[in-house]
Amino acid sequence: MQDVLKHIDDNVDSRLEELIEWVRIPSVSTDPLHKDDVRTAAEHLVRDLKTSGITKSSIVETDGHPAVFGEMKGPKGSPTVLFYGHYDVQPADPLNEWDSPPFEPEIRDGKLYGRGVADDKGQVHTHLKAVESILKTAAELPLTVKFIIEGEEETGSTHLEELILTNKERLACDVVVISDSPMFSEESPSICVGLRGLAYGEVIVRGPKQDLHSGAFGGGVANPANVLSKILAGLHDDRGMVTVPGFYDDVVALTEAQGTAIRSLPFDEEKWLELTGSPSTTGEEGYSTLERIWARPTLDINGMKSGYTGEGAKTIIPAVAKAKLSARLVANQDPDVIIDLLEKHVRALAPPTVEVDFIRHHGGKPYLGPTDHPAFEAARRALKVGFECDPVEIREGGTIPVVSTFSEVLGVPCILMGFGLPDQNIHGPNENLRVNCYRGGTRSIAAFLYQLAETMGR
Ligand code: BES
Ligand code: MN
Ligand code: MN
């Protein structure tokens, strides 16, 4: 094991150069203009898996962007780890807010900057390179490793469930490992035991057949922007709770132990608030900030569009008003149920003076992982080896849609150990990954494979 760790430490710089070549490819999955780049990034990944020693690697087609599979067998009868990650990235705009171009990655002050370095190419890279270092220093892997790395996570993993269902045998494993989340802090490598889910919808309010002069017509017909504002304002009460009837019905409350685990974390609220740039924290009454963002469901407006927003004043009654809305969900809320409730409520709030359309976008289920599985203990020990300090148990507020699919279809737990940091700026400008976390992460993954082989070996 010491040889493996040394090999990882000795090769950080050259591997970051390899990672940079991959990050250069703008694999933006939402943007049809980048369709070929997404495929190029998948092909690049297959080559990287092969040079890392995972010789059985290939592209697997879906009805959308391709996925990449890989496999390398360990000793007969040893357990199997399935690594999941995504090679697609979010769009990079606003470009002028980046200190260096998003697809020309650069290392500054111990951090690698670029779109996708943390979400998720840099974290996937730790998996490949941990395996490579084992293969370069030991005779064989301590167990069997498999890879499934998709190109549609940022667009809701639309074709992944089907891919997993049709490849159940090929993906059979004892545990899934995912690195696509941040650590609690640089001093606290983390195992993430809960993720929130997502239900996403869009409301379109239509009034007049075209924009009207607000002097000539204003006051006589409904203004879609006024109406939409009123609908949206009606979605929360004064205590910060969501008013959609039935919204909280399936929410599982935190247990004593889970509450204690969250409260025992050394959370620096001031520092967290600074990251946001907001003047103050807020949220549902009766809950702490960490409870609000990890363990409580929310409903947010993600975008609004209506009327004239250019320079100066223009006096119109807009014909249309639109808003994008999404709810973050916790166990055991179901995105399909929640989106139904949301649509029903929005329609109930709308007056008959306008027409309302409701569009459903992709979603994802929440996830709560087991903490009593042997893989969880193996992860704790591995993170301690990798980062040389004690790990903590956290949850996260973001969504990885496929996590619940893995546990339902493959019947195995997912271990989420991510190596980002709270200031990693994923989805925003200046996305970054700390070099120390990349190194510690690679070490932890290598250590995990040995720990798991030991605890689950047959
Ligand atoms: N890696 C993130 C999820 C994440 C974010 C986990 C923050 C932990 C903390 C993932 O790539 C992502 O962005 N997911 C989307 C959902 C998806 C359906 C577009 C999200 O959470 O908005
Ligand atoms: Mn991600
Ligand atoms: Mn993302």
Side-chain angles (χ1 to χ4, degrees):
M1 185 68 225
Q2 288 313 317
D3 295 352
V4 177
L5 296 177
K6 184 171 183 313
H7 187 269
I8 292 170
D9 290 347
D10 289 347
N11 285 282
V12 168
D13 292 342
S14 62
R15 286 171 168 180
L16 284 172
E17 289 307 317
E18 292 174 24
L19 171 59
I20 284 173
E21 289 312 310
W22 193 26
V23 176
R24 276 185 202 283
I25 307 168
S27 44
V28 182
S29 54
T30 44
D31 186 348
L33 287 176
H34 284 295
K35 190 165 179 263
D36 292 346
D37 293 320
V38 176
R39 180 167 294 272
T40 306
E43 286 161 354
H44 186 104
L45 174 58
V46 170
R47 279 197 301 278
D48 202 356
L49 279 159
K50 286 183 176 165
T51 38
S52 302
I54 304 137
T55 43
K56 212 177 135 196
S57 303
S58 62
I59 294 225
V60 179
E61 298 296 342
T62 74
D63 287 337
H65 297 300
V68 171
F69 281 14
E71 182 173 340
M72 185 72 195
K73 282 218 171 0
K76 211 162 186 251
S78 62
T80 298
V81 168
L82 173 64
F83 288 109
Y84 162 81
H86 62 95
Y87 69 83
D88 64 324
V89 303
Q90 284 274 321
D93 53 281
L95 291 179
N96 60 355
E97 285 184 32
W98 286 78
D99 294 329
S100 55
F103 298 111
E104 291 167 37
E106 178 175 302
I107 298 171
R108 296 191 303 273
D109 306 327
K111 289 175 173 182
L112 175 64
Y113 286 85
R115 172 56 85 231
V117 295
D119 190 10
D120 182 30
K121 286 171 172 164
Q123 301 205 55
V124 166
H125 213 241
T126 65
H127 298 172
L128 270 63
K129 297 298 138 176
V131 171
E132 179 179 53
S133 282
I134 296 176
L135 289 170
K136 288 239 161 100
T137 45
E140 64 175 345
L141 293 173
L143 38 64
T144 294
V145 295
K146 295 180 179 176
F147 289 82
I148 174 168
I149 302 159
E150 67 156 322
E152 297 192 310
E153 196 276 342
E154 300 292 5
T155 51
S157 302
T158 356
H159 301 97
L160 195 62
E161 182 163 348
E162 174 162 359
L163 193 72
I164 294 170
L165 283 169
T166 51
N167 287 279
K168 243 179 109 169
E169 292 302 309
R170 198 167 162 191
L171 298 170
C173 60
D174 297 281
V175 48
V176 175
V177 171
I178 303 176
S179 302
D180 190 20
S181 52
M183 316 203 297
F184 187 68
S185 71
E186 217 182 326
E187 300 76 39
S188 305
S190 312
I191 306 174
C192 175
V193 299
L195 289 173
R196 289 197 290 188
L198 182 73
Y200 204 117
E202 187 170 345
V203 189
I204 303 171
V205 176
R206 296 180 206 280
K209 65 175 192 233
Q210 63 179 68
D211 291 356
L212 302 173
H213 189 286
S214 64
F217 295 95
V221 289
N223 176 329
N226 294 17
V227 171
L228 181 60
S229 309
K230 195 166 169 197
I231 294 174
L232 298 178
L235 295 176
H236 292 87
D237 68 13
D238 292 342
R239 292 174 304 150
M241 288 187 83
V242 176
T243 55
V244 177
F247 186 78
Y248 294 96
D249 284 3
D250 298 326
V251 171
V252 182
L254 285 171
T255 62
E256 245 344 274
Q258 289 166 342
T260 310
I262 292 180
R263 280 188 294 275
S264 70
L265 289 166
F267 182 57
D268 185 340
E269 188 157 272
E270 290 280 303
K271 208 171 137 200
W272 181 85
L273 186 62
E274 238 170 72
L275 278 180
T276 72
S278 298
S280 146
T281 60
T282 184
E284 191 182 349
E285 236 173 68
Y287 295 93
S288 69
T289 294
L290 284 184
E291 287 170 338
R292 285 169 176 166
I293 61 174
W294 289 353
R296 294 296 296 169
T298 54
L299 178 57
D300 276 292
I301 302 168
N302 302 114
M304 292 193 277
K305 195 171 173 184
S306 182
Y308 182 70
T309 53
E311 284 295 311
K314 185 182 180 208
T315 46
I316 52 154
I317 306 288
V320 190
K322 299 181 185 186
K324 297 196 194 257
L325 296 177
S326 66
R328 290 287 168 175
L329 312 176
V330 301
N332 286 333
Q333 287 175 298
D334 181 327
D336 295 333
V337 172
I338 295 295
I339 203 76
D340 277 345
L341 296 175
L342 183 60
E343 172 166 3
K344 216 166 132 198
H345 189 52
V346 164
R347 290 196 184 281
L349 291 177
T353 50
V354 294
E355 274 167 17
V356 173
D357 285 340
F358 192 94
I359 301 172
R360 292 162 184 228
H361 293 286
H362 57 69
K365 286 188 190 169
Y367 180 73
L368 255 193
T371 51
D372 53 2
H373 191 275
F376 187 82
E377 236 348 272
R380 287 193 83 88
R381 287 200 295 271
L383 286 167
K384 184 153 187 168
V385 171
F387 285 87
E388 296 171 306
C389 52
D390 285 317
V392 295
E393 175 188 322
I394 63 167
R395 293 194 189 195
E396 277 298 330
T399 307
I400 306 174
V402 73
V403 177
S404 62
T405 313
F406 280 132
S407 37
E408 282 163 22
V409 177
L410 301 179
V412 297
C414 291
I415 298 291
L416 299 157
M417 41 177 163
F419 310 121
L421 284 177
D423 67 352
Q424 61 186 356
N425 291 331
I426 58 171
H427 296 204
N430 299 312
E431 178 176 348
N432 63 82
L433 178 66
R434 196 161 256 294
V435 172
N436 274 339
C437 295
Y438 173 83
R439 171 178 161 268
T442 311
R443 290 163 53 98
S444 302
I445 294 294
F448 178 76
L449 297 181
Y450 283 100
Q451 293 291 346
L452 194 76
E454 208 170 283
T455 42
M456 289 186 79
R458 287 172 279 244

